[in-house]
Amino acid sequence: MRRFVERHPFGALLIAVAVAIFVWLIFAVWPEWLVDAIGRKKTFVNTLLNGITLAGLYFLVASGFTLVFGLMRNVNLAHGSMYLLGAYIGYEVSEATGSWFLGLAVAFLAIALTGVLLQVLIFRRMEGEDLRQTLVTIGISIIAADLMLAVWTGTTYQFLPPEWLFGAAQLPIVSVIRSSGDAVYIVYPIYRLVVLAVAIAAGIALWLFLNRTRVGMMVRAGVNDREMLAASGVNVQLVFALVFAIGAGLAGMAGVIGGTALSIAPGEDIRYLLASLIVVIVGGLGSVTGAALGALLIGLAEQFGLAYFPTYGVVLTFLIMVVTLAVRPQGIMGGR
Amino acid sequence: MYRFAKKVLATAAVLALAGPAAAQDGPIKMGALATLEGAFTVLGEDGMRGVRMALEEFGYKAGGREIELITGSSDASPDSAIRAARKLVEQDGVDILVGPLSGSEGLAVKDYAKTQPETTFVNGSSAAQDTTLRDPADNFFRFSTEGAQWMAGLGEYVYNEKGYRSVAVLAEDYSFPYTQVFGFLEPFCRLGGEAPADARFWVPIGNKDYSSVIAALPDDVDAIYVALGGADAVNFLTQYEQAGGQLPLIGGSITVDQTVLGSKGRTREFIIGTPSAGPISDTWDDPRWNAFVATYKEMFPDGFPSPSLFAHAYYINTKAVLLALEQIGGDLSDGQAKLRETLSTLEFETPTGMVHLDERRQAVADIFLTEVVVGPEGNLVNQTVKVIPQVSQTFGLSYEEFLEYGVVSRENPEC
């Protein structure tokens, strides 16, 4: 930190000013001219929070995707199907038992198991053939989408989260001061804050797993050089199966969390697959930190686009992708 | 060599004989096109139920000929609808195509219909205004009413009865919601209501996360007019409740219908009392409607608690075709001339009253003003407030007068 300031005094000053303005934007009551220029503060703060919480959801889906790719060089285009299947399974379980948390746990386990089966029964047979594996995953995703449509029909499903997760919370951020002198506080849905908390927890857990455990060390070694890892006596297949289980399980869990925040319906598989693809392209394939950064960028771009210029908001997401590909084709945190 | 030639001749003879015979006596191929993918999947499924109900009623036979049903699927985008229509018409060789479901799909299929004069196109449930109003196709028939007709009476009702003076608008960004917003705002604004351009929000189809739009909605309006469909509407309603939304809503025709009210999950008490208007009303106490609902429930136990307007529109359009085929004895010769003539003058009884076509082959039918209430089985339904009889596409004005209102768009009408 200190060395950075000494080396780049100007850059550090710029960053400090930007952070100060940002903090002021969030906590200060906006003066009239600012409201005239960029709209109400409520819109800005809510959009910011929405972007961050949506990024949390995207991170949950994309981290599994990028982990699998990093280790196995397998672009799993059936990742979106895992999301949707997890959501449906979670819905059935929580409907049958009345427990949302049980639904979440079962979705994680069931999809993790599905992931292991996919790896052991299918991908292992075509190891090293990247293109073939990718095509097979497309096939699986199409078949899975039709099977799910047959079982759960096209109806939109929504989870019933526990009562204490539903509703809105008052944040300690003043939106406007009424003429009577009362402060109006920003109100925000509790559940979306929970989504963010879960994503951060999952991120920290993943980091600890990769950087502080023996298995994590093997995974990192595998990302760098698969053959070398195998030659040093590690059962690579076991590591592969484990990583696939975690990646798929995260997607399944995200299905329940996303299905509660938004909803589940056919087509969600493609939507989240596309979102994860963009997130990892921007963040860098194979990097969990990159997935977090990419998710944050895409989540914010999507929400600010939707709030401030809804008609052309979609363009913003792809603009970020185009700029990334032009300036830094390997992604923000991508190696090599 | 001789035997070979004989074989060829014989085959040719059989083909020559069978050719015209097959065209007249074989089964009539009917294509049905609906959105069985994407955000409107659940709507498309119910549309297909409507087609099956009509065919079942006629025993898959009309005018002494079997009807063979071939289904196609789109995802609510115009190009997917064209792709599916092409496949049905050019590959499967259907004689009659019923569909599509969504507004902009309808505009695209109408234009495609002009390139296929040998095939008769009958609408599914697509309800954009210009499918039949401007530059219509001679072989495209719409026995269901469109988005602006569906809004008949709603603007006056919320202005006079509910006392709303200013509204925000939230709608999907394509031709059908433009049509609905036009149909709602035109009378509302003429009475003196307001819907400023910066309080109109247009979002893409299939948008899931409405929280930012909700945050941007103004507080100083009396109500929000919402024209979203299917999964989009379900998402908006839940997120609006979660965000602690307080403003009353006014529903577009597919925002508070059975495809949304019948979705799985939390019951949305806060939308009770939401006014809306459309081609059907769940609780209309009429023997024709009750019989339709009873048949629907019996045929599709896994369907909605009550048929949606998509099942209704596809049913009516399919039935029109079957009735016409019945009248002409299944005679599709001469480029289907007889079928088209009969369709143009057809007038028949539907579950929601009489229907006939105007000179641009657009239906004139009854419209229902409704309000969301808790039904007898504890589910939410639309209760009839008023029936507006025989609404035409031009609201009783002449064609030329009506054209002066301009093309439906994000800013039409301004107020």
Side-chain angles (χ1 to χ4, degrees):
Chain A
M1 178 82 187
R2 180 176 229 154
R3 271 180 54 197
F4 178 80
V5 175
E6 275 164 14
R7 250 199 255 158
H8 309 275
F10 188 68
L13 190 70
L14 220 61
I15 291 173
V17 169
V19 169
I21 290 178
F22 187 69
V23 170
W24 180 80
L25 274 178
I26 292 178
F27 288 102
V29 177
W30 287 15
E32 204 65 41
W33 58 267
L34 192 61
V35 176
D36 289 341
I38 54 173
R40 292 171 308 156
K41 182 182 170 186
K42 179 184 148 203
T43 311
F44 176 79
V45 174
N46 266 321
T47 310
L48 184 73
L49 285 170
N50 289 335
I52 297 173
T53 49
L54 183 66
L57 187 56
Y58 282 169
F59 172 73
L60 282 179
V61 189
S63 57
F65 184 79
T66 198
L67 205 62
V68 169
F69 176 83
L71 185 65
M72 283 170 254
R73 296 277 170 269
N74 173 2
V75 182
N76 179 15
L77 294 181
H79 200 67
S81 315
M82 309 237 174
Y83 171 91
L84 194 56
L85 185 63
Y88 281 134
I89 290 177
Y91 179 83
E92 291 298 336
V93 171
S94 63
E95 238 350 59
T97 62
S99 163
W100 184 80
F101 287 101
L102 196 63
L104 188 70
V106 172
F108 181 86
L109 293 175
I111 303 304
L113 186 69
T114 316
V116 171
L117 288 179
L118 272 181
Q119 164 65 17
V120 171
L121 297 179
I122 298 172
F123 301 132
R124 206 168 147 178
R125 291 172 189 280
M126 40 189 89
E127 215 175 292
E129 300 170 72
D130 303 354
L131 195 60
R132 203 165 142 207
Q133 283 188 342
T134 308
L135 286 176
V136 166
T137 57
I138 295 180
I140 291 173
S141 74
I142 293 171
I143 295 167
D146 269 5
L147 287 179
M148 284 188 276
L149 185 60
V151 176
W152 284 283
T153 71
T155 310
T156 311
Y157 288 78
Q158 253 175 348
F159 288 88
L160 288 175
E163 212 39 60
W164 56 273
L165 284 180
F166 202 82
Q170 211 173 49
L171 303 183
I173 301 173
V174 178
S175 157
V176 283
I177 308 278
R178 282 223 185 90
S179 46
S180 58
D182 300 345
V184 180
Y185 290 94
I186 301 259
V187 174
Y188 198 72
I190 298 168
Y191 183 76
R192 296 196 66 120
L193 296 174
V194 175
V195 172
L196 183 63
V198 171
I200 292 175
I204 292 174
L206 263 183
W207 186 86
L208 287 177
F209 166 71
L210 287 174
N211 292 295
R212 289 281 183 277
T213 65
R214 211 181 136 70
V215 185
M217 197 170 71
M218 289 177 198
V219 173
R220 278 183 296 139
V223 170
N224 280 338
D225 196 324
R226 262 192 294 195
E227 283 77 23
M228 212 53 183
L229 180 67
S232 59
V234 172
N235 185 346
V236 181
Q237 288 308 334
L238 208 62
V239 178
F240 281 7
L242 181 74
V243 168
F244 219 107
I246 294 174
L250 277 174
M253 194 175 86
V256 175
I257 290 172
T260 315
L262 309 170
S263 66
I264 26 176
E268 288 295 84
D269 45 350
I270 308 292
R271 207 174 92 87
Y272 280 93
L273 175 65
L274 193 64
S276 339
L277 274 174
I278 298 176
V279 164
V280 298
I281 287 172
V282 171
L285 271 167
S287 156
V288 175
T289 328
L293 260 176
L296 198 58
L297 264 176
I298 298 302
L300 284 173
E302 226 173 73
Q303 290 299 319
F304 272 98
L306 203 59
Y308 287 94
F309 34 99
T311 316
Y312 308 103
V314 191
V315 180
L316 206 57
T317 311
F318 288 99
L319 208 64
I320 292 179
M321 197 169 92
V322 169
V323 170
T324 313
L325 283 176
V327 179
R328 205 178 150 79
Q330 70 273 46
I332 297 173
M333 304 295 284
R336 282 170 302 134
Chain B
M1 189 62 208
Y2 172 69
R3 274 177 63 187
F4 176 70
K6 199 167 133 189
K7 226 180 205 167
V8 170
L9 269 179
T11 317
V14 167
L15 279 176
L17 280 173
Q24 274 316 308
D25 300 327
I28 295 174
K29 283 189 179 175
M30 178 190 269
L33 169 59
T35 52
L36 300 176
E37 328 155 36
F40 290 169
T41 308
V42 63
L43 287 53
E45 283 178 337
D46 215 41
M48 286 298 185
R49 290 189 193 116
V51 175
R52 298 230 157 78
M53 277 174 87
L55 285 169
E56 196 73 35
E57 195 178 312
F58 283 74
Y60 285 85
K61 244 184 199 154
R65 291 173 67 178
E66 298 269 329
I67 308 277
E68 189 189 334
L69 179 68
I70 305 170
T71 59
S73 164
S74 63
D75 65 7
S77 69
D79 56 317
S80 75
I82 290 296
R83 230 174 9 244
R86 271 221 144 90
K87 190 236 161 206
L88 288 170
V89 173
E90 292 167 35
Q91 276 182 32
D92 299 327
V94 298
D95 302 298
I96 298 147
L97 180 72
V98 179
L101 180 128
S102 177
S104 292
E105 294 185 324
L107 294 172
V109 169
K110 169 200 73 168
D111 284 332
Y112 173 67
K114 292 179 184 165
T115 67
Q116 299 293 330
E118 296 293 308
T119 310
T120 299
F121 292 77
V122 182
N123 188 45
S125 61
S126 86
Q129 191 174 57
D130 277 345
T131 310
T132 50
L133 188 69
R134 288 177 184 82
D135 193 22
D138 293 334
N139 53 343
F140 191 97
F141 297 80
R142 182 151 70 177
F143 286 89
S144 48
T145 37
E146 44 94 319
Q149 287 173 292
W150 289 352
M151 289 285 102
L154 186 61
E156 289 95 335
Y157 178 72
V158 301
Y159 189 90
N160 292 328
E161 307 289 321
K162 296 270 177 184
Y164 300 154
R165 291 296 176 267
S166 67
V167 295
V169 171
L170 171 62
E172 285 146 341
D173 198 6
Y174 70 103
S175 56
F176 166 66
Y178 297 167
T179 309
Q180 287 241 291
V181 169
F182 168 82
F184 167 70
L185 282 184
E186 214 292 311
F188 182 73
C189 293
R190 194 151 24 81
L191 287 169
E194 272 184 12
D198 62 355
R200 297 186 192 180
F201 297 84
W202 303 96
V203 293
I205 300 187
N207 180 41
K208 294 289 164 206
D209 199 343
Y210 286 91
S211 36
S212 291
V213 178
I214 290 168
L217 286 169
D219 305 315
D220 53 354
V221 291
D222 298 326
I224 307 169
Y225 174 79
V226 185
L228 304 169
D232 294 4
V234 174
N235 282 319
F236 168 76
L237 292 173
T238 311
Q239 290 168 31
Y240 190 65
E241 188 185 8
Q242 271 185 342
Q246 297 295 330
L247 289 170
L249 304 178
I250 304 164
S253 300
I254 64 172
T255 308
V256 287
D257 83 330
Q258 282 304 322
T259 56
V260 175
L261 300 179
S263 72
K264 305 273 196 303
R266 210 181 167 81
T267 43
R268 299 168 185 86
E269 266 109 20
F270 77 105
I271 55 173
I272 292 171
T274 301
S276 178
I280 63 166
S281 167
D282 302 332
T283 61
W284 193 39
D285 199 13
D286 184 279
R288 292 165 293 184
W289 175 251
N290 290 338
F292 180 67
V293 175
T295 317
Y296 176 91
K297 282 187 179 168
E298 193 191 306
M299 272 181 78
F300 310 107
D302 59 342
F304 294 116
S306 176
S308 74
L309 67 86
F310 299 97
H312 172 258
Y314 272 85
Y315 170 81
I316 289 180
N317 280 306
T318 313
K319 187 166 178 178
V321 173
L322 296 173
L323 283 172
L325 285 172
E326 195 77 19
Q327 277 190 26
I328 57 170
D331 181 4
L332 291 181
S333 60
D334 196 16
Q336 308 186 344
K338 267 192 189 162
L339 173 66
R340 289 184 197 164
E341 204 186 304
T342 316
L343 280 174
S344 312
T345 53
L346 191 68
E347 190 165 343
F348 68 103
E349 192 83 63
T350 73
T352 50
M354 292 302 283
V355 163
H356 71 271
L357 297 186
D358 66 11
E359 62 273 26
R360 288 172 305 282
R361 295 162 295 286
Q362 165 64 42
V364 176
D366 294 353
I367 297 297
F368 297 81
L369 193 63
T370 61
E371 228 166 64
V372 179
V373 295
V374 181
E377 286 150 39
N379 54 330
L380 296 180
V381 291
N382 273 311
Q383 190 176 43
T384 321
V385 174
K386 205 163 113 188
V387 182
I388 297 127
Q390 297 297 298
V391 177
S392 75
Q393 192 174 28
T394 55
F395 296 106
L397 299 170
S398 77
Y399 179 58
E400 284 71 27
E401 276 175 321
F402 190 72
L403 282 190
E404 281 173 21
Y405 283 123
V407 181
V408 295
S409 72
R410 297 187 191 117
E411 284 93 30
N412 186 15
E414 273 177 58
C415 61

